[in-house]
Amino acid sequence: MGDCAVGFIGTGAMGEHMCRNVARSGRYAVRAFDLDAEPLERLAGDGVETATDAAELASRSDVVILSLPGGPEVEQVAEEVLLPAGRPGWIVIDMSTTPVGLTRTVAARLGERYGRFLDAPVARTQQAAVDGTLSIMVGGDAGDLEQVRGILECMGSDITHCGGVGAGQIAKILNNMVVFQNGVAIAEALTIGERSGMEPAVLLDVINRSSGASFVGQNHAARAMVPNRFPLRQFPARYALKDLSYALMLAGDGGVRAPGAELAGRLLQQAIDMGCGDEYWPTIIKAVRSGTK
């Protein structure tokens, strides 16, 4: 789907880099809108046109991409912008992390106006967004995915069709559930090891070269937990808790008890209550440390 007009609603910590990579491909006319003017000013240097508002962007785009904080924002944009703008041939791609039920409702309502909808949330780190190597999990019609695959390939190195509408969100939400539980395990190990007299960096290096190795250990723990660096404007603890709440919602719908996810949720909430809600989510280790005997 080259030479089409692509519009981004939401250019935050991940969306800015995703938008930039689509623009730098040189294959698409790219517009963007965000309530924060700063990323739009930076993107202008890459040829991204700033839309007057979200409605103007939707009316001038063949493909609209959402990269928003969560369900409430997606629902508001759907009601106020997407549904009024729905038209034959139009494709909306929600790359936010959104509750599965809401995803399916928006897709159905947009379909009534002949618009098409894909849920395509992303995983991996902010650096992966910069590098264009995100993992993108897609739910929706396979034919629609093929139409926009070229756009997605500007942002991600792994694009997986997970099934019908909502399947991309299911995959993303449950992936993050595993990530946060892994983060709890590593935070506990590093805290116990340090209290027992072992350097956290040495312990993590051993774990990362042994059977306990994981993406979380090699990235989130190595870059944040060990050096105690929890920057703002990266995936914060309050966003992590939001994603985890969606996983627990799915668990409840399926009649499944998820005690590991519940524990991770309590620790994320504790980190937020400690004033760390805007810090990068591995700040969960602060909650683990504070709970020691």
Side-chain angles (χ1 to χ4, degrees):
M1 201 170 184
D3 300 321
C4 76
V6 178
F8 272 79
I9 299 178
T11 52
M14 300 291 275
E16 176 182 348
H17 306 296
M18 293 155 61
C19 181
R20 177 174 290 110
N21 285 331
V22 174
R24 284 180 174 176
S25 74
R27 291 184 286 156
Y28 308 99
V30 182
R31 298 179 182 84
F33 176 75
D34 195 281
L35 296 177
D36 183 355
E38 288 187 15
L40 298 173
E41 292 168 0
R42 291 190 292 266
L43 286 166
D46 295 285
V48 177
E49 179 183 339
T50 298
T52 304
D53 53 33
E56 185 255 344
L57 180 145
S59 69
R60 298 179 61 193
S61 301
D62 302 306
V63 175
V64 173
I65 295 174
L66 307 182
S67 182
L68 298 168
E73 293 81 7
V74 170
E75 184 172 25
Q76 180 179 1
V77 169
E79 289 292 331
E80 298 178 2
V81 177
L82 302 181
L83 293 173
R87 56 192 183 271
W90 201 46
I91 296 181
V92 173
I93 309 174
D94 181 17
M95 303 189 77
S96 323
T97 303
T98 305
V100 176
L102 174 61
T103 292
R104 289 173 173 163
T105 297
V106 171
R109 294 188 63 193
L110 192 65
E112 294 171 357
R113 297 175 183 244
Y114 309 104
R116 291 169 289 167
F117 185 94
L118 295 170
D119 50 292
V122 303
R124 296 186 180 143
T125 62
Q126 188 180 57
Q127 187 59 49
V130 173
D131 297 337
T133 57
L134 292 165
S135 171
I136 304 176
M137 294 151 275
V138 185
D141 183 80
D144 292 343
L145 168 57
E146 290 311 308
Q147 276 199 265
V148 300
R149 182 177 288 275
I151 298 171
L152 297 180
E153 286 176 342
C154 297
M155 300 177 275
S157 54
D158 291 282
I159 299 166
T160 305
H161 184 227
C162 299
V165 170
Q169 295 295 351
I170 293 171
K172 164 63 184 290
I173 289 164
L174 296 182
N175 172 79
N176 278 16
M177 183 184 79
V178 172
V179 165
F180 304 141
Q181 290 185 63
N182 192 188
V184 171
I186 294 172
E188 290 178 344
L190 295 180
T191 301
I192 295 167
E194 185 173 29
R195 296 296 173 90
S196 302
M198 188 169 187
E199 286 292 330
V202 176
L203 175 58
L204 182 62
D205 181 61
V206 171
I207 292 171
N208 283 340
R209 290 186 290 110
S210 305
S211 55
S214 68
F215 181 90
V216 175
Q218 294 164 353
N219 289 272
H220 304 298
R223 298 173 183 176
M225 289 184 183
V226 167
N228 286 305
R229 287 199 297 264
F230 310 104
L232 306 179
R233 293 187 61 81
Q234 285 195 36
F235 190 59
R238 57 189 178 87
Y239 280 21
L241 183 61
K242 175 262 299 179
D243 284 10
L244 196 57
S245 74
Y246 296 164
L248 290 169
M249 190 185 306
L250 278 180
D253 291 343
V256 178
R257 175 81 192 283
E262 291 171 359
L263 171 60
R266 289 195 297 272
L267 289 169
L268 283 167
Q269 184 62 62
Q270 185 175 340
I272 293 168
D273 292 343
M274 293 168 62
C276 305
D278 290 324
E279 294 182 353
Y280 187 30
W281 78 265
T283 193
I284 196 172
I285 195 171
K286 294 181 181 179
V288 173
R289 288 169 180 159
S290 73
T292 54
K293 295 180 181 178

